[in-house]
Amino acid sequence: MTDDDKRDLKDQNSAQAQDALASEIAALRAEVAHLNAHRFVRIHNSIPRLLAFNFARGAAFALGTLLGASMILSALAWTISQIEFLPVIGEWGAEIMRQIEAATDAP
């Protein structure tokens, strides 16, 4: 192989590499455009929308936490009030149930 043949081969490889690089860059641009059009990114591009989204998310989290804790604690208090064979725990549970019933009966 002569030096000219080596240079031509090197130029062809360089041109192929540049074409491959150009196609990869085009694919990256298309992917970035696709990601920028995503709903999540559009919500976070606007401060008022971001604040509204986070407020709604926080309100839903607080409501879920409140309802879940209420159900778990009421079930736990009812379970403890049913235990009467252990005097201390049974009396404590019964007192909790009396206070809950008194609070629900009062206007």
Side-chain angles (χ1 to χ4, degrees), residues 31-69:
E31 192 64 30
V32 168
H34 176 72
L35 288 174
N36 281 336
H38 196 271
R39 183 177 155 263
F40 182 79
V41 173
R42 282 185 288 138
I43 287 173
H44 287 83
N45 278 342
S46 169
I47 297 295
R49 272 193 253 157
L50 177 64
L51 291 174
F53 176 76
N54 280 327
F55 177 76
R57 191 176 121 219
F61 179 77
L63 180 63
T65 301
L66 179 71
L67 290 175

Side-chain angles (χ1 to χ4, degrees), residues 2-78:
T2 65
D3 287 338
D4 288 336
D5 290 339
K6 288 180 184 179
R7 257 187 256 126
D8 288 341
L9 185 60
K10 190 175 185 182
D11 289 343
Q12 286 176 355
N13 287 340
S14 176
Q16 288 175 352
Q18 286 180 353
D19 289 343
L21 183 60
S23 67
E24 288 293 321
I25 289 174
L28 283 173
R29 283 184 181 164
E31 192 64 30
V32 168
H34 176 72
L35 288 174
N36 281 336
H38 196 271
R39 183 177 155 263
F40 182 79
V41 173
R42 282 185 288 138
I43 287 173
H44 287 83
N45 278 342
S46 169
I47 297 295
R49 272 193 253 157
L50 177 64
L51 291 174
F53 176 76
N54 280 327
F55 177 76
R57 191 176 121 219
F61 179 77
L63 180 63
T65 301
L66 179 71
L67 290 175
S70 298
M71 287 191 283
I72 290 172
L73 287 177
S74 64
L76 183 65
W78 180 81

